[in-house]
Amino acid sequence: MSTPAEPSAVAGGETDPAAATPPSSGSRVLVVWTGVLAAFVLAADQLTKWWAESALDVNAPTIPIVGDLLGLRLIYNPGAALSIASGMTWLLTIVVTVVVVFIVRAIGRLGSRGWAVALGLLLGGAVGNLVDRLVREPGFARGHVVDFIDYAGFFVGNVADIAVVSAAVLIALLSLRGIGLDGKRHTDDAQPAERPADRPDDQNDPA
C-alpha cells in the first residue's frame, strides 16, 4: 500500500516554499517592542494630561516656554486636531476605534523595525486620545480631549498628537522607500526577470 504524500511536498519531491511556517522570533520581538512603545506613549500622554489639569487653569493666558513659539495653555477639545469637527465627537470616537483595531491587526504582520516604531507611536497616540473621548466629560464616547501644548497660537495639542504626527512622517518615509510591513522592498518585486542562459546554438554561431 502506497504512503500518501506529505502536505509540504510538491511535484518532484521538493519542499513547498510557500508552506505555512510559524512566525520568526524576530517578528515576535518586533510585536513585543511595538506594544511596549505604544504603552510608553499612552502612559506619557495620560500622565502629562493629568499634570496639565492639576497645574494649569482652563482657558488661562498662555504660559510661554520658548518665546511666542511654544507655550502651555489648557483647553478641552471636543473635536479633532485644530478643533475640526467639534460637533461630531461620536463619529470621531468610532473612527479612532476602527483605526486602533486596524493597527492591532497590522502589527501581527510586522517584519520591519521602522514600521514597528511607526505603529507603536500611532497606536499609543490614538489610544491616548481615545481614552479621553471614552472616560472624560461630558460622557462616554463624547469626552473632550485634554490639550495643553500651545504652538505659537496656531493650535493646541498634546503628547498623543506628537506621537501621531511623528508616526505619519515615518510612515510616509517608509512608503517612499517602498518598505512594506514585512520589511521587504516593494520595488524589488518590479525587477526584470533574470535573462535565460544562452542557447547552445548561439555559442556555435560564427563571430
Side-chain angles (χ1 to χ4, degrees):
M1 183 173 63
S2 62
T3 305
E6 292 295 331
S8 61
V10 293
E14 298 179 356
T15 302
D16 183 3
T21 56
S24 66
S25 59
S27 297
R28 289 194 294 269
V29 170
L30 288 176
V31 171
V32 171
W33 279 109
T34 302
V36 170
L37 178 57
F40 175 80
V41 171
L42 174 60
D45 176 65
Q46 292 299 308
L47 286 173
T48 52
K49 287 174 178 175
W50 171 82
W51 171 84
E53 288 187 295
S54 61
L56 304 174
D57 295 325
V58 180
N59 293 324
T62 301
I63 301 174
I65 297 178
V66 183
D68 294 330
L69 297 178
L70 191 67
L72 298 174
R73 179 164 67 94
L74 178 63
I75 66 170
Y76 291 95
N77 181 8
L82 305 179
S83 297
I84 297 173
S86 298
M88 305 175 66
T89 308
W90 267 98
L91 178 60
L92 292 172
T93 301
I94 294 173
V95 170
V96 175
T97 302
V98 172
V99 170
V100 169
V101 172
F102 174 81
I103 296 170
V104 171
R105 296 189 62 177
I107 288 175
R109 305 196 305 270
L110 275 176
S112 162
R113 284 176 291 182
W115 274 101
V117 173
L119 293 186
L121 291 172
L122 185 58
L123 180 60
V127 173
N129 283 336
L130 180 60
V131 168
D132 285 15
R133 299 190 189 282
L134 293 177
V135 305
R136 294 186 181 276
E137 296 295 336
F140 180 78
R142 296 180 292 114
H144 295 177
V145 175
V146 177
D147 288 335
F148 61 94
I149 305 175
D150 190 336
Y151 297 91
F154 290 107
F155 62 93
V156 183
N158 53 45
V159 171
D161 296 334
I162 296 174
V164 170
V165 171
S166 299
V169 172
L170 183 53
I171 289 172
L173 292 175
L174 291 168
S175 299
L176 287 174
R177 295 183 61 190
I179 300 176
L181 275 174
D182 56 3
K184 297 179 181 179
R185 289 181 180 272
H186 295 301
T187 53
D188 291 344
D189 299 334
Q191 295 297 326
E194 185 177 334
R195 294 177 57 188
D198 293 335
R199 293 177 301 172
D201 294 344
D202 294 340
Q203 297 178 0
N204 298 325
D205 288 344

